Structures are given as C-alpha cells and as structure tokens.
Amino acid sequence: MAGQQKTSRKAAGTAAAVRRPRSHRANGGAPRGGAGDDIGLDALVGHAGYAVRRFQLWIFQDFIKTLATVDIRPTQYSVMTVIGANPGLSQMAVAKRLGIERARLVHLLDSLEERDFVSRVPSATDRRSHALHLTARGKTALAQFKRLAAEHERHVAEKIGKENREQLLQILACFT
C-alpha cells in the first residue's frame, strides 16, 4: 500500500507538472490560456515559416467562415478572380500563375463549371487548349464573392492592424 501511494503521488506530481503552464521564455510568448498554449515552441518561435503557416491557417479559416454563405473556397475564388481579370486564358496559364497543379485545376474548373460560374471554350489558336471565361452567372457571383472577400480583408486588418496588413502585403509582394 505504501509503495502504491508513493507511485500515485509520483504520478500525480508528473501529471501536475505536465499541466503546469510553461514560463514566458519557454513558450516564446505570454500564455494565452487556450488548449495547448502551455506547450513550448522552442526554436519555432523564431521561424518565419511557422508563423506564416499559422497565419495562413487563420486566414483560410476566416475566409471560409466569411464566405460560407456562398460556398466558395479560397482557391476557387482565386481561379475565378484571375479568369475574370483575364478572359480567355488557358488552363495552363491559370495553373502556372496561381501555382496550382494542372490536375487539381481541372477538378476545380469542373466544380466551377457545374455551378455555371466558368465555361471552357475551345481555343481559336490551339486545338489542344481551352479558353476560360466567366459565365454571366459567374460574373454576378464573383462580384458578390469580392464584397465578402473585402469583409474578410477587414477582419485581417482588425486582427493585425491596418498598417501592418499593408506592410505585410508589401513584404509578400515578391512572392505574388
């Protein structure tokens, strides 16, 4: 029994140590009180890639939530925006410009065609290629999507500050 109590106390002490919040230093920032915030990040705190990825996750979640009523995903929005700004582009040109695998773009275009947002027209200059255009319904939908995307961008500005958002766009411009 005494040995069992010793083991139980030791286990309880270990469990308490696991639950105990880490210091400001070990976590790389002040504790925020959410699940998992007591887990230290060590060198990740200084990695731009980690911070950008976490920000990207927040961005995508907010975009999806803000545009949930119209059921459009960030990549679909990007494809429609590029097609709307450049009617007649080929699938290959859109895929290359947005950094989307061609096979994935075909799937995206299929879903946008099913919703009557995009049409593929045989190219006048290359029989193997299709020119991409927004349909009338696609143009109307894109206008609505852009209004909602502007609301999402306001959320970003609220989260990080208007000046920081603008500075972030300047910093990231070399990747677009």
Side-chain angles (χ1 to χ4, degrees):
M1 177 92 164
Q4 189 178 13
Q5 283 178 339
K6 215 180 223 183
T7 304
S8 295
R9 270 188 255 141
K10 185 177 179 183
T14 302
V18 170
R19 279 184 257 123
R20 201 175 306 136
R22 298 209 181 232
S23 71
H24 174 80
R25 273 190 149 140
N27 199 23
R32 292 181 300 255
D37 286 341
D38 60 341
I39 298 171
L41 295 175
D42 194 32
L44 289 178
V45 171
H47 288 276
Y50 179 76
V52 168
R53 176 66 176 143
R54 294 301 303 249
F55 185 54
Q56 179 195 27
L57 290 170
W58 182 89
I59 288 269
F60 275 39
Q61 288 168 356
D62 186 77
F63 184 96
I64 291 164
K65 181 175 144 189
T66 305
L67 281 83
T69 58
V70 293
D71 189 29
I72 197 78
R73 308 288 291 188
T75 308
Q76 292 170 317
Y77 173 76
S78 297
V79 167
M80 287 184 67
T81 300
V82 169
I83 294 170
N86 305 277
L89 278 182
S90 69
Q91 291 178 197
M92 188 179 297
V94 172
K96 185 175 181 180
R97 183 64 178 107
L98 292 175
I100 301 172
E101 293 176 9
R102 283 178 32 201
R104 182 157 186 255
L105 181 64
V106 169
H107 177 70
L108 279 165
L109 291 172
D110 288 345
S111 69
L112 293 171
E113 251 186 338
E114 286 173 17
R115 294 174 70 179
D116 192 29
F117 290 159
V118 171
S119 67
R120 295 177 209 176
V121 178
S123 172
T125 58
D126 183 355
R127 291 187 330 202
R128 300 166 297 166
S129 182
H130 289 88
L132 301 172
H133 297 272
L134 293 181
T135 62
R137 184 169 187 231
K139 290 175 186 175
T140 301
L142 182 58
Q144 180 185 17
F145 301 161
K146 285 181 177 181
R147 285 190 297 275
L148 292 168
E151 181 182 329
H152 158 70
E153 288 299 320
R154 284 190 294 277
H155 297 165
V156 174
E158 289 169 5
K159 181 79 170 170
I160 66 172
K162 184 179 178 183
E163 295 80 20
N164 287 336
R165 180 189 166 280
E166 290 173 15
Q167 186 177 14
L168 179 64
L169 288 172
Q170 288 176 351
I171 291 167
L172 298 176
C174 64
F175 297 101
T176 62

